[in-house]
């Protein structure tokens, strides 16, 4: 099954909007962190930044889902945990195949998984 189109340059656009300002802004940061790592794939600090940005966002998103009694929180958190485990295992220079994996994962996670919570979370902006 083919995934969603991966934008190049790798930047957030309105097609990724989940309509919660906080989460949309954080999603922009997730895209930026992968984009910057792609430009500097040999920079260990940039890899650490990407892992930190992803981890922080997932925590915020999970807190919002928990507060909203979102029914699919468990599966959603499991997807986050698996991705974090994967990216924590990366080393520099990060191969293009791993960067492509990260891009593909993020695009498809937002459009296939995050889109399920549209209009289901408490009124967070």
């Amino acid at each position: 099954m083919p995934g969603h189109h991966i934008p190049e340059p790798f930047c957030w656009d309105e097609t990724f909007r989940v309509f919660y300002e906080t989460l949309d802004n954080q999603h922009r940061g997730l895209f930026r962190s992968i984009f910057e790592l792609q430009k500097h794939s040999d920079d260990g600090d940039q890899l650490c930044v990407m892992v930190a940005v992803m981890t922080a966002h997932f925590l915020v998103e999970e807190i919002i889902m928990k507060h909203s009694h979102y029914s699919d929180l468990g599966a959603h958190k499991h997807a986050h945990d698996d991705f974090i485990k994967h990216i924590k295992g990366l080393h520099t220079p990060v191969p293009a195949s791993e960067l492509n994996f990260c891009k593909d994962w993020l695009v498809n996670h937002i459009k296939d998984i995050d889109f399920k919570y549209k209009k289901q979370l408490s009124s967070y902006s």
Side-chain angles (χ1 to χ4, degrees), residues 71-104:
S71 63
D72 204 27
L73 171 59
H76 204 116
K77 182 175 179 357
H78 182 71
H80 290 168
D81 292 346
D82 285 349
F83 184 69
I84 291 297
K85 182 179 178 183
H86 182 88
I87 63 175
K88 281 185 173 181
L90 297 177
H91 301 283
T92 56
V94 179
S97 61
E98 289 293 350
L99 291 163
N100 290 336
F101 169 82
C102 292
K103 290 178 187 181
D104 184 67

Side-chain angles (χ1 to χ4, degrees), residues 5-13 16 31 35 38-39 103:
H5 171 73
I6 309 296
E8 287 298 339
F10 192 68
C11 298
W12 185 94
D13 64 41
F16 296 99
F31 275 81
F35 181 78
Q38 182 177 4
K39 289 190 331 187
K103 290 178 187 181

Side-chain angles (χ1 to χ4, degrees), residues 23 26-27 29-31 33-34 45-65 73 76-77 79-90 102 105-106 109:
L23 299 177
Q26 288 185 356
H27 286 162
L30 302 181
F31 275 81
S33 71
I34 294 172
D45 289 340
Q46 192 60 52
L47 175 57
C48 288
V49 166
M50 185 191 78
V51 172
V53 167
M54 294 285 177
T55 301
H57 164 69
F58 293 163
L59 178 61
V60 167
E61 191 174 63
E62 291 163 12
I63 288 169
I64 291 170
M65 284 189 257
L73 171 59
H76 204 116
K77 182 175 179 357
H80 290 168
D81 292 346
D82 285 349
F83 184 69
I84 291 297
K85 182 179 178 183
H86 182 88
I87 63 175
K88 281 185 173 181
L90 297 177
C102 292
W105 186 92
L106 182 59
H109 180 79

Side-chain angles (χ1 to χ4, degrees), residues 7-24:
E8 287 298 339
F10 192 68
C11 298
W12 185 94
D13 64 41
E14 290 292 319
T15 67
F16 296 99
R17 193 164 180 220
V18 295
F19 299 97
Y20 298 99
E21 187 177 342
T22 297
L23 299 177
D24 284 330

